Amino acid sequence: MQSILAGMAADLGAPMVKRILQGKLGDTKGALAGQVIDRIAEAVGATPTTLDQVIADRPADVVEAITSAEREAPEMLASYAAGLEGQFALAQAEMAREHWISWAWRPAAMWGFGVLWFWNLVILHVANAYWKIALPQTDLSVLFQLNAVYMGLYMGGHTLKDFAATRWGTAR
């Protein structure tokens, strides 16, 4: 549906709506494109899920909604840019205010796991072969489990929380 709307916007001469819907303006996750789709759906009296049917049934109304969204696009882009500036200012303030340990543990842990994996899979075997010794290797299942816990908590904490909420009903 997003590509259909982008094509219609291109045909109408609505370049900002077209670029937003194609992901060339705004974020890569589509929040700004979602706002444009919501505005178009609202203008034709539909929901984003039923917009496909409205495009097929009443294309003239959709054309008018796209034209309206094109007029509102500069305001949406300005609002989006202001939000990004606020997020950046907050991140800068937190980095300046807090101790370096509060943010440095994440990359340090990533590098640490990288070194442990490289040691166990490459360096240890080369050292054992070169010096004809038998340094013990870390149990890779233990290393994998530690790495998985770190990735689950740091990189996917919300996913883990959502899984627990749906599985055991422990959301808060």
Side-chain angles (χ1 to χ4, degrees):
M1 174 194 41
Q2 190 167 336
S3 61
I4 295 170
L5 289 173
M8 290 177 76
D11 292 342
L12 289 172
M16 292 183 81
V17 169
K18 178 186 130 199
R19 287 188 293 198
I20 290 171
L21 291 174
Q22 289 177 338
K24 294 180 180 175
L25 285 177
D27 59 343
T28 57
K29 294 183 181 171
L32 189 58
Q35 285 180 344
V36 171
I37 292 171
D38 289 344
R39 295 269 171 100
I40 292 170
E42 181 181 316
V44 295
T47 64
T49 56
T50 61
L51 195 54
D52 286 335
Q53 188 62 38
V54 174
I55 291 171
D57 294 343
R58 303 180 322 207
D61 292 345
V62 176
V63 166
E64 187 178 319
I66 290 173
T67 306
S68 173
E70 178 70 19
R71 286 191 299 269
E72 296 174 12
E75 294 174 14
M76 287 189 279
L77 283 170
S79 174
Y80 176 75
L84 285 180
E85 288 174 10
Q87 290 175 357
F88 184 70
L90 178 63
Q92 291 291 343
E94 286 178 348
M95 287 184 76
R97 183 179 67 228
E98 295 186 14
H99 195 269
W100 65 273
I101 295 286
S102 66
W103 60 267
W105 69 271
R106 296 187 222 41
M110 288 181 214
W111 278 101
F113 277 117
V115 166
L116 283 172
W117 280 104
F118 193 67
W119 169 263
N120 279 288
L121 296 176
V122 177
I123 296 174
L124 185 66
H125 298 293
V126 170
N128 283 342
Y130 183 76
W131 286 299
K132 295 177 180 52
I133 56 177
L135 293 173
Q137 181 180 15
T138 304
D139 185 7
L140 293 181
S141 65
V142 171
L143 184 57
F144 176 76
Q145 288 173 0
L146 288 172
N147 209 166
V149 167
Y150 172 77
M151 288 190 302
L153 293 176
Y154 171 60
M155 297 177 182
H158 286 288
T159 304
L160 192 62
K161 178 189 66 133
D162 293 343
F163 174 76
T166 57
R167 178 78 177 202
W168 298 293
T170 58
R172 292 184 185 201

